Each structure stands twice: as C-alpha cells, then as structure tokens.
C-alpha cells in the first residue's frame, strides 16, 4: 500500500469535525492520538512550525472536543501555537501541507479559517481575559454556553492572567480553565508559581497522587466539596503537592488536579465534572512538551518548540548553518559583559530565541528570565539602572509593544540607561501579522530622549550595540530582523558623529545629486542595488544609512539640501515611521525638498515568507527602483546658472 493509500485508510482521515470523536472507542482514540503525532511530525518536518507544544496536547485536545461542543462552546488557546491538534480535528488537515506558508494554514487560531476559532491569539497571557468577557457576555444574553481557556503554565507568569483570575473568581460564571502544565514556555518556566508546580511534578508521591485523583474523579458525582474532601485526603502528607490547590482556592476558584495530561480518560473525567459545576474551575493537567517524539523530548533547550524543516529520524534542522542576527548580538553582548561588570541581561521567557542564553551560560548571576512578563521586565530593568547597572532587555520587536507605558514613564521619564534589543523586527513572515515587528519605529519614536538604531549588517550590530550601552542619559533601542545576516556592507565614508557615537554612513554616491535615498537597517543592500538601477537610467542616487534613525540625525537634513528628491526606505509602518520623522525634520529646518516614503502599508498583512510579503508591499529592488524613477522623472530639472546678466526690465509705457 502506498503512503497516500495508507493515509487515506487511516482513522485520522475519518475525523473532519469534533463530533466524529464522540463515536470512537477508547482503543480507537489511542490509535488516533498516535496517528495525529505521526501526522504532525511529518507535516511540520517539511514546513517548520510549533511542534513540541502540539505533541504535548494531543490527548488533552481530544478530551476537550469530546466533552465540549465547539463552536457552540468556545475553546480559547493561550498561546495559539498549541492549537494544531485543534485545527486537525476541526476539519483543516488538508491545509497542513502549506502550514505557515502562503495559501495554507496560519500557525495560530484564525477566524478566517474556521468557526471553531474565535480569537487570533498568538501573544501569551491574554486568553483568560478574553474568556472572562466572553463568559459574562453569554451570561448577560442568557445563552447556556461554556467557555474553556487552555493556558500554559508559562502564560501564567504573565500579569494579565492574574488580573483575569481575580475577575473570573468574582464573576462566578461557568468557565473552565485548563492549565497545561509542561514546565515550559519557550524555555523552562520560571518564578514562584513555576516552583510550586515543579515541586508537585518532582514529588516522589506524584504518580500515586495521579492514580488516586484519577480514581476519585471517576467516583465523585460533582466538582466541589465532595471532591475536595477526597482530594485533601489523598494528598494528605504531601505538603508541596497541595500548593497550587491552596493558591487557586484562595482566589475563589475551584481546583481539580493534578491529572495526567496524556491520560485522555482521566482528562475527560476531570473536564466533565468541571463542566457540570456551574462556576469557574481550574483543571490542572500535567503534560510533557514534545511527548511521543524522542528528538523533541531529548531537546533540552526548547523541546523542538518551533523548528524549521527538519529530518524526521534525528530532529536535526535541514537548513545549512549560517550566521544569524541573533547570534551576532549574543556574541557581542558577552564580549561587552567581559569588559563591563555593570552590563546585565533580561529576557521574557525567550532566552534562547533572543540570544540572552549565551550571557546566562557565562554569567548566570547577571542574566534574568522574568517569564512572559514584558511590562515587569522593563520596569525591573529601570530598577537595575537606578541601582547603577546597564540592563540590556532582549525581546521580540512585537512584544515590546506590550510595555510601551513602562518604556515611556518608568524608563525614559527617569532618563535611565536601559538598552532594548528588538529581535525579529520588520516583516518576519510565517508567524503572521501578530508577530510582525513593524510598529517599533513608529510607536517608540514618540518617546522623549529615546534613541533608536537599525544596523544593516553584522559589523554595525556590533558597533551600534556598543554605542547603545555607552549611552548613560536615556534609553536606547537596537532593532534587527530575523534570519541570516547579509554580507557586511562597508560605508564609503561617514558624515558627522561625535566621540564615537552617531554619524551617517554614505553607502553609494554619484556625481549627480538627484535622489537622497535614506535606507533603514537591513534594506541597505537593496538601496545600493536601487541606486545602480537608477544610474543606468541616468539618475544619480546618494544612499545613506542613518544608523541611528530616531531622532533623525541632523546630517540627513544637511544632505537633503543638496538633492532634488528625498526617499526613505524602511521595514516598518509608514504611519509615524522614519519617513514621517524625516519629513518633519526637513520642514522644521525650512528645507522644502520633495520627500516620498516607502515602507509597510497600514494594515494586517497575511502570513507567508518574508520575501513574498515584501513583494506584495512593493518593497523589492525592482519595485523601488521603478517607483523612484517615476518620482524623480516628474521633478523639473533645475535651471542652469549662466554668466550672462539678467535682462533689464522695460519701463512701463505712459
């Protein structure tokens, strides 16, 4: 039988909707779980994606869809990267051939894909707030519908979760919170709650507790006092194991658990009791990220959390090794830390993806992972700076949006030396619009005293990081994209700069001064190519890299005076971006040279490869060259100066 015929004959091919799960026997469900894991490994090995989190929630997701009636009952995933199994059992198996690629499934829940998805959720710690509001809406409208929020223990390190829990407890609506406790977010979960849960998982009596809880759930007709008496009895003498229960009970929310998240029957039993309770209940399911796939389970760094294409047998990535932006930053940060004892690192649950892990390995006492808590990370960094240190906060560009108020008022208003390093800036591609780092230059450009740098290659990453940590009178941002670093692009010359800081790099110039092309960050290579294309049309282009793009360097204004047209090119939204800032600087200086700005259009851009999205946006060398040629062609040539005296005016006739 061929692979295609074998797949067609599989049990998985008969599941097209959640209702199909309810007709299956326990034995068939076990087979289905194995088939789903094989399916996930096969598909993600070709496309890349979030593998580890989804291997860990197979039985949990099957139980959810057997107990609750989606889409009437609403199931919300926090974060959405653990929703692949949910997509599989809600009729979207065919889309996995192009997972996270153009024309295929998104990597997160998507309203456009299915009625079973209600939120486009891919930022952590938000689902409980959605669930609180949704359950209140159902109650006010008199609709007998259940809301289920699936929350990872990593997400519980975020403050929004605890704000939501406080309100959920007060509202007392029928809401089931499933804590998917695998001890990890991107990396091992940290913090006080994580310590409690870790003690529970590692307790010698843990397996016995699971068995007793499983049995008691089967015998108990109601979530509430009868079950709690049983749970208290079976856990008696295991002090650490009851810590989560006491914590959630103090909030006023019933707690069931722990249950083995890979025992579907145990999870189903817990969920049925929680569903029938009529108020908020937490079901604590302990799972293992990457469960069922040896390479993922043996990957200590992140359990193959989000790999690219990989070899199924070994789990090793297929793409050849290359120098990454993140790696250049990580190496230089450690080199700086070797020289300066005051430099410390902070990240929000992403030590490996942002490069902070390298600092942690060498100087563990000087690097902090605060969990999925960007707001806390920023204000904690402010405290470190007040204490005489220079913190380097490394997060994805999209995630710093969550802490704008803290950057503005807790750091900048106090003129504190905190450096923010924004990984995955610009259009990142497969993860879709919620992960595009396209707002930072607009949003943070309004912060007084903040300086923002956009390096173009590995050498300028190193240079500008050193300049950033050398600034002591306010915050700095260093932003760079994802992927491989292009070849170094040396400057022809540098204009301006003081004491090793700032200055504008001239990357290409021509004897004609038709266009000043201001290139931001990684677009520098494209800008130089554009200049070459325009030279073939007879136009002269000066390409400059401002290096520090906010505030606009005064050298840009001076250079603009010498040209007929100024064009800005940036990997961020045009509204409020670098182009707008340069235009304002020119107006303020009474420089009335025409300006055109090229960047990311306002909107929600779909997932796809970075190159595909940039092509859609007209941000390729060919598109930019054609557009600039049209603009400069419409500007009248300046009238040449002559040595002949001006004609004398005739006297008016009388």
């Amino acid at each position: 039988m061929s692979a295609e015929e074998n797949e067609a004959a599989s049990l998985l091919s008969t599941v097209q909707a959640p209702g199909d799960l309810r007709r299956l026997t326990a034995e068939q469900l076990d087979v289905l779980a194995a088939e789903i894991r094989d399916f996930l490994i096969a598909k993600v090995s070709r496309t890349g994606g979030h593998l580890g989190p989804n291997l860990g929630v197979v039985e949990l997701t099957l139980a959810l869809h057997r107990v609750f009636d989606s889409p009437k009952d609403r199931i919300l995933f926090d974060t959405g990267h653990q929703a692949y199994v949910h997509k599989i059992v809600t009729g979207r198996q065919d889309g996995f051939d192009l997972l996270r690629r153009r024309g295929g499934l998104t990597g997160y829940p998507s309203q456009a894909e299915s009625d079973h998805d209600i939120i486009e959720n891919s930022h952590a710690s938000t689902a409980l707030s959605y669930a609180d509001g949704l359950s209140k809406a159902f109650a006010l409208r008199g609709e007998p519908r259940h809301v289920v929020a699936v929350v990872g223990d990593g997400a519980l390190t975020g403050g929004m979760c605890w704000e939501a829990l406080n309100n959920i407890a007060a509202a007392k609506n029928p809401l089931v919170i499933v804590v998917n406790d695998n001890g990890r977010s991107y990396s091992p979960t940290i913090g006080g709650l994580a310590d409690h849960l870790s003690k529970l998982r590692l307790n010698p009596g843990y397996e016995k507790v699971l068995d007793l809880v499983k049995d008691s759930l089967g015998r108990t007709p109601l979530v509430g006092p009868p079950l709690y008496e049983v749970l208290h009895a079976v856990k008696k003498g295991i002090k650490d194991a009851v810590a989560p229960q006491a914590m959630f009970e103090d909030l006023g929310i019933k707690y069931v658990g722990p249950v083995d998240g890979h025992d579907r029957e145990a999870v189903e039993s817990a969920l049925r009791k929680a569903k029938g309770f009529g108020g908020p209940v937490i079901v604590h399911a302990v799972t293992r990220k990457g469960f069922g796939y040896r390479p993922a389970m043996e990957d200590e760094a992140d359990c193959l959390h989000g790999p690219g294409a990989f070899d199924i047998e070994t789990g090793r990535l297929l793409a050849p090794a290359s120098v990454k932006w993140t790696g250049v930053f990580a190496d230089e940060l450690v080199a700086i830390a070797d020289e300066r004892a005051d430099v410390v690192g902070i990240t929000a649950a992403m030590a490996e993806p942002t490069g902070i892990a390298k600092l942690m390995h060498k100087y563990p006492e000087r690097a902090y992972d605060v969990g999925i808590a960007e707001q806390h990370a920023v204000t904690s960094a402010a405290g470190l700076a007040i204490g005489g240190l220079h913190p380097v906060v490394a997060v994805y560009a999209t995630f710093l949006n969550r802490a704008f108020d803290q950057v503005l008022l807790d750091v900048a208003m106090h003129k504190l030396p905190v450096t923010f390093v924004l990984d995955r800036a610009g259009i990142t591609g497969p993860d879709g619009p919620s992960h595009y780092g396209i707002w930072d230059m607009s949003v943070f450009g309004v912060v007084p005293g903040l300086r923002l740098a956009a390096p173009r290659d590995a050498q300028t990453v190193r240079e500008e990081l050193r300049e950033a940590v050398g600034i002591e009178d306010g915050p700095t941002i260093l932003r760079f994209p994802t992927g491989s670093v292009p070849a170094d692009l040396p400057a022809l010359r540098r204009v301006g700069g003081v004491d090793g800081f700032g200055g504008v790099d001239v990357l290409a110039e021509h004897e004609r001064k038709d266009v000043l092309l201001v290139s931001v960050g990684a677009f520098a290579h494209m800008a130089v190519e554009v200049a070459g294309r325009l030279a073939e049309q007879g136009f002269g282009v000066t390409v400059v890299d401002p290096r520090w793009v906010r505030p606009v360097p005064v050298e840009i204004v001076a250079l603009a005076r010498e040209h007929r047209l100024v064009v800005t090119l940036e990997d961020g939204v045009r509204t409020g971006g670098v182009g707008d800032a340069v235009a304002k600087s020119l107006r303020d200086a009474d420089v009335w040279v025409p300006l055109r700005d090229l960047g990311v259009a306002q909107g929600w851009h779909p997932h796809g490869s970075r190159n595909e999205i940039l092509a859609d946006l007209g941000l390729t060398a060919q598109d930019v060259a054609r557009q600039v040629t049209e603009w400069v062609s419409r500007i009248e040539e300046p009238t040449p100066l002559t040595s002949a005296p001006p004609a004398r005016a005739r006297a008016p006739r009388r």
Side-chain angles (χ1 to χ4, degrees), residues 200 205-223 226-236 238 241-242 245 255-261 263 265-271 273 282-286:
L200 183 153
Y206 170 58
E207 294 298 333
K208 183 178 180 181
V209 170
L210 283 183
D211 291 339
L212 290 170
V213 170
K214 187 191 309 181
D215 293 342
S216 66
L217 285 170
R219 297 193 306 269
T220 306
L222 176 71
V223 173
L227 178 57
Y228 271 78
E229 290 174 7
V230 176
L231 290 177
H232 278 298
V234 300
K235 292 179 181 178
K236 195 171 184 179
I238 308 177
V242 301
Q245 177 181 349
Y255 171 90
V256 176
V259 294
D260 182 350
D263 184 335
E265 291 182 350
V267 177
E268 266 191 52
S269 182
L271 291 175
K273 303 305 185 294
I282 285 177
V283 176
H284 179 189
V286 179

Side-chain angles (χ1 to χ4, degrees), residues 168-189:
I168 287 168
K172 303 187 184 305
N173 289 314
L175 195 164
V176 176
I177 300 165
V178 178
V179 176
N180 173 31
D181 175 14
N182 58 24
R184 309 182 72 91
S185 44
Y186 286 87
S187 53
T189 305

Side-chain angles (χ1 to χ4, degrees), residues 130 191 323 365 421-422 507 516 529 567 573 603:
Y130 280 118
V323 178
E365 74 285 358
V421 175
L422 306 188
L507 306 180
L516 176 66
E529 182 180 345
V567 178
V573 292

Side-chain angles (χ1 to χ4, degrees), residues 554-590:
V554 294
E555 293 85 0
I556 294 293
V557 176
L559 288 164
R561 295 181 190 274
E562 304 171 3
H563 293 77
R564 298 167 54 209
L565 173 69
V566 176
V567 178
T568 61
L569 179 61
E570 61 188 299
D571 192 6
V573 292
R574 293 174 60 208
T575 304
V578 174
D580 276 356
V582 172
K584 180 179 181 300
S585 294
L586 296 183
R587 291 195 305 269
D588 290 348
D590 287 331

Side-chain angles (χ1 to χ4, degrees), residues 12 32-59 61 81-88 96 99 105 291 293 307 310 312:
L12 177 57
L32 177 63
E35 289 184 1
I36 288 175
R37 285 194 168 88
D38 289 343
F39 178 91
L40 285 170
I41 294 166
K43 299 300 183 183
V44 177
S45 72
R46 294 194 287 269
T47 65
H50 290 102
L51 181 64
N54 288 284
L55 292 175
V57 296
V58 175
E59 291 82 7
T61 305
H81 64 230
Q82 59 184 324
Y84 289 9
V85 185
H86 164 78
K87 291 184 183 234
I88 289 171
F96 275 86
L99 175 67
L105 294 178
F291 186 78
Y293 181 44
F310 61 90
I312 290 179

